[in-house]
Amino acid sequence: MITETLYSQYFTALLAGNRVQCTEIVEQLLDKNIPIYALYTDLFQRSMYEVGRLWEENKISVAVEHLTTSITESLLALVYPTIFSAPHKNKSIVVSCSANEYHQIGAKMVADVFELNGWHGYFLGANTPVTDLIKYIDNKKPDLVGLSLSIYFNLPVLSKIIDNINTHFPAQDILVGGQAFRWGGKEELHKKKNVLYLESLDKIAQVAE
């Protein structure tokens, strides 16, 4: 498992923009066959939540926040050979950030968790236009659609996207999550049809299993 000492070393390197040291730490953990899920929750997710907190409190700059995100996304690629080698079942999920959303790392991790559990995960990235999302859902006909929201003020945009999906695909199940809901908005989701809010990777993994 990831000790506090190792996490501290990693987080210090991450804030310093030391991509080499961060990569070495992750590679060492992979060599020790650390469970991928533990790597995602105890290192990647934990560190990015802390980065977000520091940014919100104006303790780090936007530049530092962007750099830590870039490094973390590059580290996710180190895990992909393991993730994509998992036996796949006949299930799929389309994961997307809402329009006007540019924080995509959480959504990417969600798609990876489903891939790790044998799903076909289609990650569409940041700021996906709703018209393109609808077309892609129509093309893939997934079992689930996952939507990520990082910025609370984009909640009305997410609401319209959900309504759009419900209009075109009345039976489509939708998963919603993201850091935006720390500030509220869950009550809005309760009004929507076929929507399940998941607050953590733990809950997401349970659904994927």
Side-chain angles (χ1 to χ4, degrees), residues 3 6 10-11 28 34 37 68 84 103 117 128 138 152 160 162 169-170 176 194:
T3 65
L6 185 61
Y10 172 84
F11 191 67
Q28 289 169 9
I34 184 175
Y37 182 69
T68 58
F84 293 122
H103 294 81
N117 283 276
T128 303
D138 188 45
Y152 175 74
K160 290 180 181 178
I162 293 173
F169 314 103
V176 175
N194 301 328

Side-chain angles (χ1 to χ4, degrees), residues 3 16 26 28 42 47-48 61 63 66 89 107 110 112 116 128 132 145 179 181 183 206:
T3 65
V26 171
Q28 289 169 9
D42 299 341
S47 60
M48 291 311 298
S61 67
H66 284 182
K89 45 198 171 189
V110 168
D112 290 352
L116 188 61
T128 303
D132 292 328
V145 171
Q179 287 293 285
F181 294 100
W183 309 107
Q206 291 175 15

